[in-house]
Amino acid sequence: MADLYDALAAPARRTILDALCARDGQTLFELCVRLTTHHDLTLTRQAVSQHLQVLEAAGLLTTHRQGRVKLHYVDPTPLDALVTRWRRPASTPPEDPT
């Protein structure tokens, strides 16, 4: 879970996730172009690649090779676990702190 928080802590990585949510299944080159044109975020190809590795290690991305290119897909499964961790049913009263 700590990797997930670390991955989401960087604004650039959150922007990369936004770009992938807008259009899933992008190559590294497509992501670099989209980050520059749509999000005004200019990062080197190597920097984007390193951010993608962190996101993949946290389980927020999956990749799929298609010939010579590697496509990146958002995987929200760790975010679902994060949300349900502190969420309780609406009918459950809060615990008494005493």
Side-chain angles (χ1 to χ4, degrees):
M1 189 69 77
D3 290 343
L4 181 61
Y5 295 121
D6 289 340
L8 293 172
R13 287 194 279 270
R14 292 193 303 268
T15 304
I16 290 171
L17 287 175
D18 288 342
L20 282 171
C21 284
R23 194 172 79 77
D24 217 4
Q26 295 182 67
T27 65
L28 175 61
F29 177 76
E30 291 169 330
L31 270 171
C32 290
V33 170
R34 181 172 285 272
L35 290 172
T36 302
T37 59
H38 290 75
H39 298 278
D40 214 18
L41 182 65
T42 306
L43 296 172
T44 64
R45 186 178 164 97
Q46 291 79 16
V48 174
S49 179
Q50 288 176 351
H51 285 304
L52 289 171
Q53 288 175 1
V54 172
L55 292 169
E56 188 174 6
L60 291 166
L61 285 185
T62 59
T63 59
H64 176 72
R65 283 221 170 261
Q66 192 172 43
R68 296 179 62 181
V69 297
K70 186 177 180 182
L71 302 174
H72 301 84
Y73 297 91
V74 173
D75 183 0
T77 306
L79 297 175
D80 293 339
L82 184 71
V83 169
T84 57
R85 180 176 176 179
W86 291 293
R87 191 172 192 183
R88 58 183 160 77
S91 61
T92 305
E95 291 183 24
D96 187 10
T98 56

